[in-house]
Amino acid sequence: MGEVYKVHCPKCGYETSLDLGVGFDYPQLYAETQEDGKCGKLGNDIKDFFAEYTDGVIDPVPMITQCDECGEYNTAPSLKMYVPDKSKEPRRKSNVRWSVVMPFHELDYVSPEEFEAHYKLYKEHQHICKKCGGKIRMISEDNIRKLKCPHCKDLFLSVDIEALWD
């Protein structure tokens, strides 16, 4: 399931759209994100992670981001790095993975639920703001109604759903 939220400040007019969720394309997004990470397109920290942990995985699911410098909100893939957790039941690769998207049905992927069930967090990727170069922090979608205006500072943003898919 995917959602696009519009957040808006009623006082100053600040507005942005937050594109969250992945939907049925998750298997393909997962595969592309892992490959981009391994070849260095997502940063040297992730490339080095894959060189050290060949069985490691990164989380491609989009999250809300906020820059610590300019305060702007956006979305970006989580890119949290995970390693298999030896204390938990090992993940079993399946020859047949259920997916409603037939072109992706044979892709081997780690679902969001499997990150918690079979892996442990190794490291969080540090995103950098494209606007000002500041450090980005990740915000859970559960906190979307607690976002404050980056300009007015004290007002909560109004939240509207612009789109829903799959």
Side-chain angles (χ1 to χ4, degrees), residues 66-72 129 132-135 153:
Q66 184 177 28
C67 176
D68 287 337
E69 296 296 320
C70 68
E72 292 296 311
C129 180
C132 74
K135 289 184 178 182
K153 306 289 186 211

Side-chain angles (χ1 to χ4, degrees), residues 25 29 40 62 88 93:
D25 288 340
L29 175 66
K88 295 182 179 178
K93 291 184 180 181

Side-chain angles (χ1 to χ4, degrees), residues 112 142 154:
D142 297 339
D154 60 345

Side-chain angles (χ1 to χ4, degrees), residues 128-143:
I128 302 298
C129 180
K130 293 177 184 172
K131 181 178 176 183
C132 74
K135 289 184 178 182
I136 296 287
R137 62 186 162 92
M138 307 303 264
I139 301 169
S140 167
E141 184 177 353
D142 297 339
N143 293 318

Side-chain angles (χ1 to χ4, degrees), residues 3 32 65 79 85 93 102 111 115 118 122 147 160:
E3 306 87 21
E32 290 171 359
T65 64
L79 302 183
D85 189 340
K93 291 184 180 181
M102 292 310 293
S111 71
F115 289 119
H118 304 289
Y122 172 78
L147 301 180
D160 296 308

Side-chain angles (χ1 to χ4, degrees), residues 4 6 15 22 26 36 39 45 53 56 61 63 72 82 87 96 99 105 119 126 135 141 145 158:
V4 178
K6 181 176 86 174
E15 183 175 281
V22 178
Y26 180 84
D36 287 351
C39 71
D45 62 332
Y53 298 98
V61 175
M63 292 185 69
E72 292 296 311
Y82 290 88
S87 70
V96 179
S99 175
H105 80 281
Y119 294 86
Q126 179 60 65
K135 289 184 178 182
E141 184 177 353
R145 301 214 179 268
S158 64

